[in-house]
Amino acid sequence: METGSGTAAGGPAAGGRGSESPPGDPVWTALPPGLLVAWSVGLALVAGVTLGVLAGPGWALFALVPLSVLPWGWPLLGRNWRSWRYAERADDLLISRGVLWHEQTVVPYGRMQLVEVTSGPLERRFGLAGVQLHTAAAATDARIPGLDPAEAERLRDRLTELGEARSAGL
């Protein structure tokens, strides 16, 4: 699994194929682990505040239940998170995710209508952002969560540039 932004010559930004990979093999970029920590902390905070406000301060202690299950579930969450990856190829973007139910989305650059960088309050707190891809068909919209904001902006600009180039030829 390839990590990093891949902006060096021959990396994904230069056409989707690394110099060490055979032609046709995508160069995958893994997601950083930051969002996994943010999600876990956020879940406990939201549960505690919600229970504290709606049911009283004593009930807020039940927010510790997800944290008590975390040592058992953390390896499973980590494995699922590590399954998320993306690859920039010459004509499309691949997004792969899932452990038991593996899902791979192929988004042709020419079909992209909108590429946006999103970052909710919890993501901003942990210095993360996501890239949301919109196409003409609602079923093919795709998202890449948990990216470094600079990488998310680079990816947005790159995908927009490639999308405009591919759609101009239609």
Side-chain angles (χ1 to χ4, degrees):
M1 193 177 298
E2 192 75 24
T3 58
S5 64
T7 57
R17 292 178 176 81
S19 58
E20 69 281 346
S21 298
D25 285 349
V27 176
W28 293 100
T29 302
L31 302 183
L35 190 60
L36 184 57
V37 174
W39 180 85
S40 303
V41 171
L43 176 66
L45 287 174
V46 168
V49 170
T50 303
L51 286 171
V53 169
L54 297 177
W59 286 96
L61 294 176
F62 281 104
L64 297 176
V65 172
L67 293 178
S68 68
V69 176
L70 202 57
W72 173 79
W74 190 260
L76 299 175
L77 288 172
R79 185 174 176 203
N80 186 47
W81 184 254
R82 285 187 302 276
S83 74
W84 278 82
R85 54 194 184 148
Y86 65 95
E88 299 172 60
R89 297 195 306 182
D91 296 321
D92 51 31
L93 177 74
L94 300 177
I95 302 171
S96 179
R97 64 193 168 279
V99 177
L100 292 177
W101 287 272
H102 185 75
E103 205 173 313
Q104 189 166 5
T105 305
V106 179
V107 184
Y109 296 132
R111 300 287 181 163
M112 291 182 199
Q113 292 184 331
L114 175 68
V115 181
E116 61 184 350
V117 174
T118 60
S119 186
L122 196 58
E123 288 175 311
R124 282 193 306 274
R125 168 65 179 94
F126 286 91
L128 299 169
V131 175
Q132 180 74 40
L133 308 165
H134 299 281
T135 62
T140 59
D141 286 358
R143 177 169 164 73
I144 304 173
L147 297 171
D148 177 67
E151 170 63 8
E153 290 175 10
R154 183 206 66 82
L155 189 59
R156 178 201 58 207
D157 295 343
R158 172 89 174 136
L159 295 175
T160 301
E161 175 187 316
L162 289 168
E164 288 174 353
R166 297 300 190 278
S167 66
L170 294 179

